Amino acid sequence: MKRHLLSAADLDRDDALLVLDTATELATVSSRAVRKLPTLRGRTVVNLFFEDSTRTRISFEAAAKRLSADVINFTAKGSSLSKGESLKDTALTLEAMGADAVVVRHGASGAPYRLANAGWISGSVVNAGDGTHEHPTQALLDAYTMRRHLSEGRGDLADRRVTIVGDVLHSRVARSNVLLLATLGAEVTLVAPPTLLPVGVEDWPCEISYELDPALAKADAVMMLRVQAERMNAAFFPSAREYSRRYGLDAHRMALLPDHAIVMHPGPMNRGMEIAADVADSVRSVIVEQVSNGVNVRMAVLYLLLGGAQLPTGEEVAA
Amino acid sequence: MTGTYLLRGGRLLGAGDPVDLLLAGGVIAQVGAALSAPADAVHVDAAGLVVLPGLVDLHTHLREPGREDAETVESGSRAAALGGFTAVHAMANTEPVADTAGVVEQVWHLGREAGYVDVHPVGAVTVGLAGTRLAELGAMAGSAARVRMFSDDGRCVDDAVLMRRALEYVKAFDGVIAQHAQEPRLTAGAQMNEGALSGVLGLRGWPAVAEEAIVARDVLLAEHVGSRLHVCHVSTAGSVEIVRAAKARGVDVTAEVTPHHLLLTEDVVAGYDPVFKVNPPLRAKSDVEALREGLADGTIDAVATDHAPHAAEDKDCEWEAAAMGMLGLETALPVVAEAMVATGLLDWAGVADRMSVRPAGIGRLAGHGRPIAEGEPANLTLVDPHASTVVDPSRSASRSRNTPYAGRTLPTAVVATFLRGVPTVLGGRLVADAR
Ligand SMILES: [Zn+2]
């Protein structure tokens, strides 16, 4: 493993499998009655959130606490960040506080790279979502979820077919997923109107389709991306209704999926836009499970980056 | 303090036999082998050096008035002299904007006081660079600053009617409109060149077509009204092609390219270090090759630095929050040497043409870009073609440090610069109080 997790591309196949296997092991441990491991006791993990994302912050916070790390939350609301304190000044403050890992969420693509590489801090940096760039721990939890349902919870995702649908252009989830799924051997198809695909997407390690239906029949997993209705104001598509009709997943379309296929969504969902309510709540949907898997995967990432002394063997402490 | 200088043994434009140059009274008094000089003449050993006409920059941001923390006319003038320049054009996007005779005269006076280079203010095309009504172009032309080049640089004059009128109006005093070609709607929030890399990095793209659409429109407008057009910082292969075709049709269009667009590609953006953030953005390798070719065949007339100093806090931040622009004056010649001379695309006569003769012509500067001959103004630059320049930002004469070449070793070094017979730089160092 590299010292930072900034992009899903930072993980080669062995690294990715190590994270997933470690997450599997940690899941076993933390499903027991006592859910706290001493592994990162005395280490400090800072959640640095320049963007509001309660769900991701809580997930990282739970992960760090279950490993007994000290957790400091820096969020835009209620801190100096909202008054325009610079990324650099914030980083220097965190360094002075002795942060061993900084989990950063930022609206600007590449902000975690600056934190990791500008010489401001010495700890590990975990990208918890940067602009329209990447969200590698989301990709890891998605892969973990797919592996549980499609590969009996072990090994890679070789030959599994994953269809990712929606606003790829603005999606950090899509970028990280395409990279990680390719590393794990899956066949990925991106489905979107041409306006919501980045220039150069034809060079990505995946297939491209402008039509959803043909991509559903062969999918083992379909992942619906959040699409903001306001995108229509910038002419990415004519109307929410047209988008939904052409690219939304409703019950009718879901019926095109093979019986074993799962439905995923990174959240938060726009019910009625990219995903119909009855699909989101159907038995095929693993959307709620994605959330709980997120904690295990983030525990694994923090554990591996901070070099926890030994693999947790189930040695438990009183919480 | 004019003084008399004998430059011994340099080679004019890097060719022919070594000659001596006697500079006296602000002009080149004598050119010849083994000249004898008056007893009080200062001898300068120019053996092995290339003698060029003093370099002329069509595109410099000196930031004064308004952002004196980033640069002043004085600090920028010093950087220019160290880069071998004897004249620079100071862009109008200051605070206040250089859109009146008063502001351009202020900048012009500051340049005279600094005394390191001739500072020629560029006038804004529109009031406040707002793109809605023409600034008093005639008043700026008639001022002590004698403005001939007008530009809203930093912004594009995108309104076609306004651009047409500006092109027509400046004909009255032989002016030129220098266009920052950037279709604003296609580049809203743009962060880097639009291409495969911008898609991967999740940075909003600045497509080549946004430049080319304006360049194409403007050459058609200039052709239609019979006016002179200058295209700032051409950055794409498509723009080169449009300018080439327009020139072939006889359109009165000139174009410039920056040193950084000749040397750097978009690949350096991958680390998100804002020192590489610039407008127009660094482009693909194929664009760099087309720009070099265009400069070599004369389609692109001039190298212009687009020297854009920024205070540390405007660069020491995340990419999207960072200001656009990079330093250029002190490194321009070594970068051109690497991109164009070392590659065999230009010889030193070609460098003199693109960095002095043609830019002086475009700016209508009578005393610059002249032949190196008896009776001509002694605006000269001595270059050591075998030395190298190691770029150390902390040693820059600029008030800012945002050079994209930090730590890089570039070929050649500027050894001396003479402005009307007075050295502003000797031995690669500024001459204190060049006035
Ligand atoms: Zn410009």
Side-chain angles (χ1 to χ4, degrees):
Chain A
M1 293 270 291
K2 297 187 177 177
R3 193 156 66 88
H4 309 289
L5 180 58
L6 305 176
S7 161
D10 291 338
L11 302 167
D12 62 19
R13 186 175 174 281
D14 288 347
D15 291 335
L17 289 178
L18 179 60
V19 175
L20 298 181
D21 293 344
T22 305
T24 303
E25 220 164 318
L26 289 165
T28 317
V29 174
S30 59
S31 64
R32 296 180 196 165
V34 180
R35 298 165 41 123
K36 203 162 174 183
L37 301 167
T39 327
L40 296 183
R41 185 181 288 154
R43 315 298 291 276
T44 300
V45 174
V46 176
N47 284 321
L48 179 57
F49 276 56
F50 290 79
E51 247 187 14
D52 226 5
S53 177
T54 309
R55 62 165 60 213
T56 305
R57 183 180 57 72
I58 288 175
S59 181
F60 270 106
E61 186 172 353
K65 283 186 170 163
R66 285 187 199 173
L67 294 169
S68 302
D70 296 324
V71 179
I72 300 170
N73 288 317
F74 258 71
T75 53
K77 277 181 190 160
S79 84
S80 55
L81 297 182
S82 51
K83 292 174 227 146
E85 181 171 344
S86 75
L87 183 63
K88 179 180 179 177
D89 291 334
T90 307
L92 296 177
T93 304
L94 300 184
E95 180 67 3
M97 293 163 73
D100 296 293
V102 177
V103 175
V104 60
R105 171 73 153 240
H106 202 292
S109 299
Y113 284 73
R114 293 299 287 156
L115 271 186
N117 299 323
W120 301 329
I121 57 173
S122 54
S124 290
V125 175
V126 180
N127 181 358
D130 62 328
T132 55
H133 177 231
E134 285 212 43
H135 194 355
T137 59
Q138 176 72 40
L140 283 164
L141 77 87
D142 289 337
Y144 180 89
T145 306
M146 287 180 219
R147 195 169 82 148
R148 279 203 56 199
H149 289 271
L150 305 175
S151 300
E152 289 156 3
R154 54 190 147 76
D156 60 16
L157 291 167
D159 306 324
R160 298 296 178 274
R161 290 170 167 169
V162 182
T163 297
I164 300 175
V165 188
D167 186 357
V168 176
L169 179 63
H170 300 97
S171 175
R172 46 197 173 206
V173 176
R175 281 174 180 73
S176 288
N177 261 292
V178 168
L179 290 168
L180 184 68
L181 289 169
T183 300
L184 291 171
E187 293 173 20
V188 180
T189 302
L190 295 176
V191 180
T195 46
L196 291 177
L197 290 168
V199 170
V201 73
E202 58 278 4
D203 297 335
W204 293 15
C206 59
E207 299 293 313
I208 306 296
S209 170
Y210 303 142
E211 302 281 340
L212 178 51
D213 291 355
L216 289 177
K218 57 173 190 176
D220 297 306
V222 57
M223 184 185 302
M224 305 307 295
L225 301 173
R226 177 179 170 81
V227 175
Q228 295 174 318
E230 309 84 70
R231 299 282 181 214
M232 75 182 189
N233 299 328
F236 286 107
F237 47 84
S239 69
R241 176 190 282 274
E242 171 153 329
Y243 180 86
S244 187
R245 203 185 300 128
R246 289 180 61 83
Y247 296 101
L249 188 63
D250 58 13
H252 172 72
R253 281 214 170 94
M254 188 168 67
L256 299 175
L257 288 167
D259 290 342
H260 68 275
I262 55 173
V263 173
M264 309 177 72
H265 193 298
M269 288 181 279
N270 285 318
R271 289 172 183 251
M273 179 75 181
E274 71 270 3
I275 190 164
D278 51 350
V279 173
D281 299 332
S282 76
V283 290
R284 288 163 174 277
S285 165
V286 296
I287 295 168
V288 175
E289 187 196 320
Q290 284 175 271
V291 176
S292 53
N293 291 342
V295 177
N296 295 325
V297 164
R298 285 165 180 135
M299 284 173 77
V301 167
L302 291 173
Y303 168 79
L304 292 168
L305 287 182
L306 293 183
Q310 70 283 322
L311 264 176
T313 55
E315 178 206 350
E316 293 160 8
V317 294
Chain B
M1 84 158 234
T2 42
T4 304
Y5 291 85
L6 182 65
L7 316 187
R8 305 189 59 128
R11 298 170 76 220
L12 306 188
L13 308 183
D17 293 327
V19 294
D20 296 350
L21 296 165
L22 184 67
L23 315 184
V27 300
I28 301 170
Q30 268 189 286
V31 181
L35 293 181
S36 55
D40 64 342
V42 178
H43 289 232
V44 176
D45 181 9
L49 304 185
V50 175
V51 186
L52 299 176
L55 307 183
V56 176
D57 193 7
L58 286 170
H59 195 143
T60 311
H61 296 275
L62 296 181
R63 302 293 186 224
E64 188 176 5
R67 283 307 299 267
E68 291 81 356
D69 58 323
E71 197 77 289
T72 62
V73 172
E74 164 124 21
S75 65
S77 293
R78 289 166 172 255
L82 283 166
F85 291 90
T86 52
V88 300
H89 288 75
M91 276 299 172
N93 62 339
T94 48
E95 300 164 30
V97 171
D99 58 0
T100 63
V103 178
V104 294
E105 285 190 349
Q106 181 196 355
V107 172
W108 181 72
H109 279 297
L110 288 167
R112 300 243 302 183
E113 278 169 34
Y116 286 94
V117 291
D118 288 349
V119 174
H120 293 277
V122 174
V125 177
T126 67
V127 174
L129 309 176
T132 50
R133 57 201 178 87
L134 289 183
E136 290 188 349
L137 309 178
M140 292 188 271
S143 74
R146 294 179 40 81
V147 176
R148 289 295 175 271
M149 177 176 267
F150 299 89
S151 181
D152 275 1
D153 184 62
R155 301 209 193 147
C156 180
V157 182
D158 65 309
D159 182 310
V161 173
L162 208 54
M163 186 62 183
R164 174 201 171 139
R165 297 288 181 241
L167 285 166
E168 289 176 312
Y169 192 79
V170 298
K171 282 201 277 188
F173 34 85
D174 196 25
V176 64
I177 305 296
Q179 175 73 291
H180 169 115
Q182 176 179 7
E183 209 292 315
R185 292 271 292 148
L186 282 171
T187 53
Q191 297 292 322
M192 70 170 292
N193 181 44
E194 182 168 295
L197 187 60
S198 65
V200 169
L201 296 179
L203 292 172
R204 196 162 318 169
W206 198 132
V209 65
E211 175 174 304
E212 292 152 8
I214 295 293
V215 176
R217 181 202 72 177
D218 285 355
V219 297
L220 293 172
L221 281 174
E223 184 171 28
H224 181 60
V225 300
S227 289
R228 201 151 73 88
L229 168 71
H230 179 70
V231 186
C232 294
H233 42 55
V234 164
S235 71
T236 77
S239 296
V240 176
E241 209 38 65
I242 292 163
V243 172
R244 187 176 282 130
K247 284 189 165 185
R249 283 203 312 280
V251 181
D252 196 358
V253 57
T254 55
E256 69 186 36
V257 61
T258 71
H260 46 271
H261 286 109
L262 289 171
L263 192 63
L264 304 175
T265 63
E266 61 175 345
D267 302 350
V268 293
V269 177
Y272 296 97
D273 184 343
V275 79
F276 298 112
K277 185 174 178 181
V278 65
N279 193 26
L282 299 174
R283 302 286 187 185
K285 188 158 180 282
S286 53
D287 294 303
V288 171
E289 283 162 5
L291 292 168
R292 289 180 179 188
E293 216 170 278
L295 185 65
D297 71 16
T299 300
I300 299 174
D301 300 83
V303 175
T305 65
D306 198 2
H307 176 81
H310 287 293
E313 66 271 19
D314 293 327
K315 283 291 191 182
D316 220 0
C317 57
E318 52 273 36
W319 180 275
E320 285 174 38
M324 296 190 246
M326 36 182 69
L327 299 185
L329 285 167
E330 289 168 86
T331 48
L333 190 75
V335 169
V336 169
E338 173 144 334
M340 303 299 295
V341 180
T343 52
L345 290 166
L346 279 184
D347 57 14
W348 287 107
V351 171
D353 183 67
R354 309 298 195 275
M355 296 188 77
S356 179
V357 178
R358 290 217 227 175
I362 293 164
R364 299 295 194 250
L365 309 185
H368 294 272
R370 300 292 304 165
I372 303 170
E374 286 178 13
E376 295 288 353
N379 296 319
L380 297 169
T381 299
L382 303 185
V383 180
D384 186 340
H386 304 298
S388 56
T389 298
V390 180
V391 183
D392 177 355
S394 70
R395 297 187 57 185
S396 173
S398 169
R399 286 208 170 174
S400 296
R401 296 289 172 258
N402 54 306
T403 173
Y405 312 111
R408 205 160 161 155
T409 301
L410 296 164
T412 77
V414 173
V415 175
T417 310
F418 289 85
L419 178 62
R420 282 181 289 281
V422 179
T424 55
V425 171
L426 275 181
R429 311 176 85 113
L430 279 170
V431 176
D433 193 16
R435 282 164 292 163

